[in-house]
Amino acid sequence: MSDCIFCKIIARQIPSQLVYEDEHAIAFKDMTPQAPTHVLIVPRKHVAGLSACGDGDQALLGHLQRVAAAVAEKAGIASGYRLVTNNGRSAGQSVDHLHYHLLGGRSMQWPPG
Ligand code: DGP
């Protein structure tokens, strides 16, 4: 998608602080971190969000969670982290390319705001 900021990061048209990449996913530091570790786990394939995923995306969705766990391990936060996806404007989604926020390095509150 030519106007998608995350597609531009994936295509290296916009710089990012990459922490992981493979054939299906990349992970980079969020530019407005909400925790000492705040990494975005993003599929290379453009899909608008979780609700836009179909049956054919099951393996990809599982893969993204496996990537998140690996990134958490590498970041030293495996003992406590939160993995979040915002789906839709009312939930706080601002970039319409599926992504998971991996947050850690501080205590978390529940329920989230
Ligand atoms: P969300 O609001 O759930 O759609 O999360 C989008 C996140 O993406 C938000 O925390 C800020 C981050 N973000 C937006 N644009 C950029 C960018 O150009 N670079 C980086 N590293 N992060 C970005």
Side-chain angles (χ1 to χ4, degrees):
M1 288 267 293
S2 57
D3 61 346
C4 170
I5 194 101
F6 287 176
C7 285
K8 288 179 180 170
I9 287 174
I10 290 162
R12 303 289 209 276
Q13 293 166 359
I14 293 176
S16 71
Q17 289 182 270
L18 210 67
V19 298
Y20 176 90
E21 67 176 325
D22 65 26
E23 187 185 348
H24 300 293
I26 72 167
F28 53 88
K29 293 184 180 180
D30 195 293
M31 72 177 186
T32 54
Q34 304 300 314
T37 296
H38 187 171
V39 173
L40 300 173
I41 318 294
V42 180
R44 288 188 186 275
K45 167 186 167 178
H46 181 90
V47 56
L50 191 55
S51 286
C53 291
D55 289 343
D57 295 311
Q58 261 182 259
L60 177 63
L61 291 168
H63 180 67
L64 294 173
Q65 293 198 46
R66 295 285 296 143
V67 168
V71 171
E73 181 77 38
K74 192 175 162 189
I77 59 165
S79 64
Y81 58 84
R82 186 168 289 172
L83 189 64
V84 177
T85 190
N86 297 322
N87 187 87
R89 290 289 174 271
S90 64
Q93 184 175 10
S94 60
V95 177
D96 291 334
H97 182 133
L98 176 66
H99 53 283
Y100 286 88
H101 298 258
L102 173 67
L103 299 147
R106 66 166 170 81
S107 298
M108 302 283 166
Q109 306 300 313
W110 194 264

